[in-house]
Amino acid sequence: MRESLGRLEFNFPWRSYQANLLKNFDNHISDNHFHVIAPPGSGKTILGIEIIRKLGEKTLVLAPTLTIRNQWEDRLQSFFTKNGTYQSYSFNIKSPDDITFATYQSLHAFYKTFEDKNDYYSFFETHNIKTLVLDEAHHLKNEWWNCLIDLKNNNPFYIVALTATPPYDSNRTEVSKYFMLCGEIDDEIAVPDLVKETDLCAHQDFVYFSKPEDLEINFIVEYRRKIADFKDKLLNDKTFISFIKQHRFFDEPKAYLEDLYSNAEYFSAILIFLNACGVTIERYKLEILGFNGKETITFPTLQLEWLEVLFQNLLINDREQLLEHEPYLLRLEKELRSINVLEKRKVNFIGEDSLYKSLASSPSKLKSIVSIVSSEHESLKSDLRCVILTDYIRKEFLDTEEVDTQTINKIGVIPIFQYLRVHFSNKETLAVISGSLVIIHNTILKAFNLIEDCDSFTFTPLPVDNEFLIVTSKKRTKHSIVNIITKLFENGAIKILVGTKSLLGEGWDAPSINSLVLASFVGSFVSSNQMRGRAIRKDANKLNKTGNIWHLACIDNTVLNGGKDVDTLRRRFEAFVGVSNNNEPYIENSFERLQFPEHILDETIETLNLQTLKEAINRNDTIKKWDQAIVKGSRLLKETKIFHLGELTYKKQKQIYYFDVIRFFVAELSFAIMLFYLEFVFKSIHIVLNRGVVYFLYTFFAAFLISFGYKLYKAITLYIRYGYLDKKIKKMGIVILNTLFELGFMTTNKNSVTIVSKRIDNGDIICDLIGGDLFENALFSTALRELLEPIKSPRYLIVKTSLFRRRLNIENFYPVPEIFGDKKKNVLVFQKHWRINLGMNKLFYTRQIEGRKLLLKARLFHVYNAFNKISKQVTVWK
């Protein structure tokens, strides 16, 4: 251990969750990686310094911003020394010390100065740097990644990665790179632990809905109408139908089997489109894909998603194979561009991008913000500390005099400020801060001067309202202005602060925030969790502080699910856990915990908003719900939820997620038989009297078979095919668990682990692993979800078989989870446990001809649900 690091010592007692994390550190660092998820307020920086001390090696600490970099040095001096006397540190990466604090940008700039990268590697070797600490490691999705992974691949390091939110919602390549650098997640500090220890305050998320303005509604309706007209015209376009019928996949499928196997969606879209046009699909075209003559195929309706698949391939992905039709394809391309369906090589008939931009920046949200701030001010009075974060400044609205949705038609810092300036009664407590613009009310100049001499700044009256002043520094940096505004906010001179998420979303610390409005379009896990973290920190001056986090959504009433803006909000809620909003509170990471109805209609929006404002005022209820929910668990677990879906299918066969149709069918059949029996006996007494009991029994059985023979056959077939859903899911869970144990993925004692599968009130099934550690729980949940999801491109398929199944023409296909599918010997272990728990089966390798043929058939069985979400992973406090 380096001498200076040995002199460091934490000056305070560790919190219980910090002590537990450090207790397991030696086991986790055995692979030279320590990857920790720790939410804002958990003492992540302090834990990082303690880990540096434990490792005892010369260290480079990397942070995303100068503010966060400086916090490391501040925490080091404040918590690990007696009088801030530690000297063996550096802020200059070119002159490293025992601990060097730098930013990712500075490392990247340093990396680029080396023409010969061997000199770059040698620099770290020469200076004996052996530990790399990556703070807020989720930032490593961009070009900073290259200089780090290059360094890691050529020098041996301890890698310590600290983050509040891994970038799970990034693309597969970026996520893979992230984990390649940081290693698998070793430990996690849970938000409920922090609330329990009062290191985070009790908090709740609230959603305020708005209706689009008339112009936006007209835009949406017109957009949908153009798409509908295009689709109707296409179904009767003989030229296009003829063009599709000549496509090689339809005209000569036998000659292009390999292409069909690799792009099942494309082939499916062709068949579904032609079927919708009334074209007869020859039997042999399905038989060559694995269907036999006895199977009945029922095609789904032509959804817009299928048109997307069709045109994305015709105009982009498959275009090189259609060069002889290029003049016609150009016509189609021009037509799609004219209705805004084709943009940047992407076909989109749903209008997600176009409509989302309209709804996400809807000026109707400006009215929502005024309502929220007014309600919060009425409730908290002088205690209100409200921050509103958004994406853009929109300086073009700075001199706008008429404040309405006609003149201010975009959301941003200045539009929000203007609306609050005009429509909020206590405007003297309002301020604006961004990287290039600061506005305050003239009544706080005295408070401003007490913090910093006003002579160092220029104060220019706002043209549309001279009570407000634009603040410009004569010589100081923007960081000093941020510090001044933060102090004014903390002491209450400013109560409502409008700013950009880029400036205040990460690294900014103002513990007094008790109301946060997220007026940002960003729905990524990382950004939304970082912004939300501003409001849930505890306030040493307000021990009973609660945080209200407000989310805004503009409803698209032309679709049942509320539209893309609501979809983005649902995704945002995947990023964090919170307490539910019902009488029996629980802690989970889902939008559903807020108990909103599935379909939000125009006529219910006002009622929902009034109810939400009423709930937000009752802050003591938030504390009570956290207290009730926390005692129900001890840690966060991954849980697989299988959604209750409708019964429409591509072929008249139902997959795993339709098993429970049996329960209702058998109940219906039993009731009908009982009524039949009573009625038959009542009506047939004369047969017993005239012909005798034996003749009566013959008559009864004949009538029974005529009435119920087919239904009994159907019931038996359904039972063989499906069974009961929750029981089947549990058996699948046992298969996965036993395979994990046999292959050595599980280290917990087997007797301590159980699988629980049950139906919840809305018809969904939940299944989780009880007793495993966090890593084991995540492995199990991921494997189960892969097994249940629509089939994409697994290496192996497992098919249930039996004598009855062959006779009744029943097949169920399941993808072997990726964790087992990488090696044949692992797949065979999975197959063995499947046979023990779920019966006979066959295994197919999908990278060979027979397997690829079966894979395409399996995909077609799932084709109706190709665009539906079948299951999801939820994080639950248990």
Side-chain angles (χ1 to χ4, degrees):
M1 175 177 285
R2 302 189 75 82
E3 183 183 348
S4 73
L5 297 177
R7 293 197 301 269
L8 295 174
E9 185 176 0
F10 187 56
N11 295 331
F12 304 93
W14 291 107
R15 302 165 189 170
S16 59
Y17 52 84
Q18 293 172 331
N20 287 335
L21 184 141
L22 293 170
K23 182 175 67 177
N24 298 316
F25 169 72
D26 290 338
N27 292 331
H28 291 312
I29 201 65
S30 59
D31 64 350
N32 293 340
H33 292 80
F34 189 50
H35 187 181
V36 177
I37 301 175
S42 60
K44 178 160 52 73
T45 305
I46 293 168
L47 284 168
I49 296 168
E50 175 64 11
I51 291 166
I52 292 170
R53 190 194 69 78
K54 279 177 171 286
L55 291 171
E57 301 289 353
K58 204 167 180 180
T59 301
L60 173 62
V61 177
L62 293 166
T65 65
L66 288 170
T67 302
I68 297 175
R69 183 204 69 173
N70 295 341
Q71 283 176 4
W72 275 83
E73 190 267 337
D74 176 70
R75 301 296 191 272
L76 172 67
Q77 304 289 8
S78 302
F79 291 90
F80 287 85
T81 69
K82 295 297 182 184
N83 300 303
T85 54
Y86 189 78
Q87 297 296 319
S88 301
Y89 73 91
S90 170
F91 285 131
N92 186 354
I93 200 169
K94 297 177 182 178
S95 303
D97 211 319
D98 283 355
I99 303 178
T100 303
F101 303 107
T103 62
Y104 293 113
Q105 296 100 313
S106 62
L107 177 67
H108 184 250
F110 184 58
Y111 174 72
K112 290 195 295 185
T113 62
F114 292 91
E115 290 187 14
D116 185 347
K117 298 310 176 190
N118 288 317
D119 294 337
Y120 171 66
Y121 315 137
S122 298
F123 175 87
F124 291 90
E125 197 172 326
T126 302
H127 287 278
N128 207 27
I129 296 173
K130 293 185 178 179
T131 300
L132 289 180
V133 177
L134 312 178
D135 191 18
E136 304 294 0
H138 52 263
H139 282 288
L140 295 168
K141 292 188 297 178
N142 53 30
E143 60 182 359
W144 300 337
W145 180 86
N146 295 323
C147 58
L148 272 167
I149 201 65
D150 204 13
L151 184 61
K152 179 187 175 182
N153 289 340
N154 288 277
N155 295 62
F157 288 106
Y158 289 116
I159 303 290
V160 178
L162 308 168
T163 185
T165 313
Y168 288 127
D169 61 339
S170 300
N171 65 55
R172 192 182 186 95
T173 302
E174 288 179 339
V175 172
S176 175
K177 289 197 299 187
Y178 172 84
F179 283 104
M180 187 190 304
L181 178 64
C182 300
E184 294 299 324
I185 294 167
D186 292 296
D187 216 333
E188 178 174 3
I189 295 175
V191 165
D193 278 324
L194 275 72
V195 175
K196 185 177 181 180
E197 297 275 350
T198 69
D199 292 317
L200 290 181
C201 70
H203 53 277
Q204 182 57 291
D205 296 277
F206 298 98
V207 179
Y208 201 96
F209 297 103
S210 62
K211 300 177 186 178
E213 298 296 311
D214 289 342
L215 283 173
E216 294 168 306
I217 293 172
N218 293 338
F219 173 74
I220 293 168
V221 170
E222 179 64 16
Y223 186 92
R224 303 267 188 229
R225 186 193 62 75
K226 286 191 293 186
I227 300 299
D229 289 348
F230 176 81
K231 179 182 174 183
D232 291 342
K233 188 182 81 170
L234 201 66
L235 289 170
N236 295 289
D237 187 337
K238 293 181 181 179
T239 304
F240 185 74
I241 294 170
S242 174
F243 167 62
I244 296 298
K245 286 172 71 175
Q246 294 173 45
H247 192 284
R248 65 189 189 282
F249 281 8
F250 188 77
D251 190 41
E252 298 181 88
K254 288 184 179 180
Y256 297 96
L257 284 178
E258 191 61 34
D259 283 353
L260 292 181
Y261 297 151
S262 61
N263 199 342
E265 270 195 334
Y266 187 17
F267 181 59
S268 302
I270 290 171
L271 297 183
I272 292 165
F273 172 78
L274 291 175
N275 179 74
C277 296
V279 175
T280 301
I281 312 296
E282 295 94 335
R283 190 76 205 178
Y284 85 91
K285 290 178 180 175
L286 294 169
E287 288 176 358
I288 64 171
L289 302 176
F291 296 100
N292 60 44
K294 298 178 182 179
E295 293 173 302
T296 302
I297 309 298
T298 304
F299 289 89
T301 56
L302 179 64
Q303 298 168 286
L304 290 176
E305 288 91 345
W306 287 118
L307 281 184
E308 282 184 9
V309 172
L310 183 60
F311 279 95
Q312 182 68 36
N313 280 280
L314 292 175
L315 298 180
I316 309 297
N317 304 344
D318 192 40
R319 194 151 178 170
E320 288 187 6
Q321 304 298 320
L322 303 168
L323 291 177
E324 60 189 282
H325 302 285
E326 185 61 23
Y328 182 61
L329 292 176
L330 283 170
R331 280 172 48 201
L332 288 173
E333 180 181 328
K334 184 178 180 181
E335 190 168 3
L336 262 59
R337 289 190 188 280
S338 71
I339 57 173
N340 300 312
V341 166
L342 177 60
E343 187 177 350
K344 295 179 181 178
R345 295 178 57 82
K346 183 182 178 184
V347 176
N348 191 328
F349 280 93
I350 309 302
E352 289 182 345
D353 295 337
S354 301
L355 299 185
Y356 175 53
K357 287 175 185 175
S358 170
L359 294 173
S361 59
S362 170
S364 66
K365 293 182 178 181
L366 296 168
K367 298 176 183 176
S368 300
I369 293 168
V370 173
S371 298
I372 291 166
V373 173
S374 299
S375 177
E376 293 280 56
H377 183 265
E378 186 178 341
S379 170
L380 294 175
K381 303 292 192 297
S382 62
D383 287 335
L384 177 65
R385 299 293 185 276
C386 178
V387 172
I388 304 161
L389 293 179
T390 190
D391 299 285
Y392 305 107
I393 300 174
R394 310 281 191 203
K395 287 184 180 179
E396 63 268 28
F397 297 108
L398 195 59
D399 298 331
T400 303
E401 294 186 17
E402 295 296 323
V403 178
D404 54 49
T405 53
Q406 300 298 315
T407 54
I408 299 180
N409 57 5
K410 293 177 182 177
I411 199 165
V413 170
I414 298 305
I416 293 168
F417 164 73
Q418 295 283 34
Y419 257 75
L420 288 171
R421 178 182 66 81
V422 171
H423 299 292
F424 177 60
S425 56
N426 293 82
K427 66 178 184 178
E428 67 275 3
T429 61
L430 175 64
V432 163
I433 184 166
S434 69
S436 61
L437 182 66
V438 176
I439 302 174
I440 62 172
H441 197 269
N442 59 21
T443 57
I444 69 166
L445 275 176
K446 185 176 180 181
F448 190 104
N449 193 59
L450 289 174
I451 298 170
E452 196 77 39
D453 188 351
C454 285
D455 290 340
S456 300
F457 299 88
T458 301
F459 300 92
T460 309
L462 192 68
V464 295
D465 188 338
N466 58 20
E467 290 181 38
F468 283 93
L469 307 170
I470 298 173
V471 184
T472 309
S473 174
K474 293 178 179 177
K475 56 184 178 180
R476 295 178 179 271
T477 66
K478 69 177 182 181
H479 297 290
S480 65
I481 297 182
V482 171
N483 291 335
I484 296 167
I485 297 298
T486 302
K487 288 176 182 177
L488 290 169
F489 181 78
E490 289 288 287
N491 67 29
I494 295 170
K495 293 182 175 60
I496 302 142
L497 187 58
V498 186
T500 53
K501 66 173 177 48
S502 59
L503 185 66
L504 305 181
E506 185 170 39
W508 183 63
D509 195 11
S512 65
I513 300 172
N514 49 28
S515 183
L516 174 69
V517 182
L518 298 178
S520 167
F521 313 154
V522 176
S524 76
F525 288 178
V526 170
S527 294
S528 55
N529 206 24
Q530 289 292 333
M531 288 188 291
R532 188 174 174 272
R534 304 307 101 207
I536 65 178
R537 294 181 184 274
K538 72 173 182 180
D539 183 358
N541 299 317
K542 295 279 184 182
L543 298 181
N544 63 339
K545 172 193 163 181
T546 57
N548 286 354
I549 301 106
W550 291 92
H551 308 263
L552 309 175
C554 188
I555 300 296
D556 177 1
N557 59 8
T558 64
V559 289
L560 284 175
N561 66 357
K564 179 66 175 176
D565 204 24
V566 178
D567 283 346
T568 302
L569 195 60
R570 288 180 181 276
R571 187 178 70 170
R572 175 180 281 177
F573 272 73
E574 300 293 321
F576 42 79
V577 296
V579 69
S580 67
N581 208 18
N582 56 356
N583 293 329
E584 295 184 9
Y586 57 87
I587 297 169
E588 187 178 281
N589 71 325
S590 69
F591 186 74
E592 288 71 27
R593 66 180 170 83
L594 297 188
Q595 309 294 311
F596 284 114
E598 185 176 355
H599 303 309
I600 298 167
L601 307 175
D602 270 3
E603 54 268 27
T604 65
I605 288 176
E606 188 174 347
T607 303
L608 286 173
N609 287 339
L610 288 173
Q611 179 62 30
T612 299
L613 290 173
K614 183 179 176 182
E615 289 167 353
I617 289 171
N618 192 356
R619 289 175 176 255
N620 287 332
D621 193 46
T622 298
I623 297 173
K624 182 180 175 183
K625 284 177 178 175
W626 273 100
D627 290 341
Q628 291 174 340
I630 281 176
V631 298
K632 294 179 181 179
S634 59
R635 63 176 182 159
L636 290 174
L637 295 174
K638 298 282 186 186
E639 186 174 80
T640 302
K641 181 179 288 187
I642 301 92
F643 298 124
H644 175 69
L645 298 176
E647 197 183 317
L648 291 169
T649 55
Y650 182 90
K651 174 175 173 284
K652 287 184 180 175
Q653 79 97 40
K654 304 172 184 67
Q655 284 303 109
I656 176 76
Y657 31 88
Y658 299 125
F659 284 155
D660 249 32
V661 70
I662 270 193
R663 186 164 292 176
F664 306 106
F665 186 85
V666 172
E668 178 190 358
L669 184 59
S670 302
F671 183 68
I673 289 173
M674 182 181 71
L675 291 179
F676 168 84
Y677 175 76
L678 292 173
E679 184 181 2
F680 187 87
V681 170
F682 180 76
K683 289 182 177 180
S684 305
I685 293 175
H686 67 283
I687 295 177
V688 177
L689 296 175
N690 296 330
R691 302 283 186 100
V693 175
V694 175
Y695 190 84
F696 167 80
L697 291 175
Y698 279 129
T699 306
F700 174 80
F701 283 120
F704 181 85
L705 288 173
I706 291 170
S707 299
F708 296 105
Y710 173 72
K711 287 189 175 182
L712 278 173
Y713 168 81
K714 187 177 178 182
I716 293 168
T717 303
L718 284 170
Y719 183 75
I720 293 171
R721 185 176 289 164
Y722 309 130
Y724 288 151
L725 179 54
D726 52 347
K727 292 184 176 67
K728 288 280 185 180
I729 297 294
K730 182 172 183 178
K731 287 182 178 179
M732 289 180 170
I734 291 170
V735 171
I736 291 169
L737 181 62
N738 290 341
T739 307
L740 288 171
F741 267 112
E742 184 165 338
L743 295 178
F745 290 105
M746 303 282 292
T747 56
T748 303
N749 187 296
K750 194 170 185 178
N751 295 327
S752 304
V753 180
T754 56
I755 304 293
V756 174
S757 177
K758 62 182 179 181
R759 177 178 295 280
I760 54 179
D761 293 342
N762 65 353
D764 295 345
I765 303 295
I766 58 171
C767 181
D768 53 12
L769 174 72
I770 305 297
D773 62 30
L774 290 172
F775 180 67
E776 294 167 342
N777 182 257
L779 284 182
F780 171 82
S781 181
T782 300
L784 181 59
R785 187 179 178 193
E786 287 177 5
L787 187 62
L788 298 173
E789 281 292 284
I791 293 166
K792 293 176 182 174
S793 187
R795 291 171 63 84
Y796 289 91
L797 278 176
I798 196 162
V799 184
K800 293 189 72 172
T801 60
S802 69
L803 176 62
F804 286 111
R805 286 177 177 276
R806 286 193 294 272
R807 290 289 177 88
L808 297 173
N809 187 34
I810 296 170
E811 289 179 297
N812 291 121
F813 304 92
Y814 307 97
V816 175
E818 190 175 335
I819 191 173
F820 310 132
D822 60 339
K823 296 177 183 176
K824 179 68 177 288
K825 64 177 183 178
N826 293 351
V827 177
L828 293 175
V829 173
F830 178 78
Q831 184 187 27
K832 178 185 72 175
H833 289 291
W834 185 285
R835 187 181 299 114
I836 293 168
N837 291 279
L838 288 161
M840 298 300 293
N841 61 78
K842 283 186 178 180
L843 197 66
F844 292 89
Y845 181 57
T846 64
R847 302 305 189 256
Q848 294 176 342
I849 292 297
E850 184 182 4
R852 291 197 70 83
K853 186 174 181 181
L854 197 68
L855 176 60
L856 182 52
K857 183 179 179 182
R859 282 168 166 174
L860 290 174
F861 278 179
H862 279 285
V863 80
Y864 182 81
N865 282 297
F867 309 111
N868 291 333
K869 204 171 182 181
I870 306 303
S871 65
K872 69 180 282 190
Q873 280 185 347
V874 292
T875 304
V876 186
W877 179 254
K878 285 193 172 183

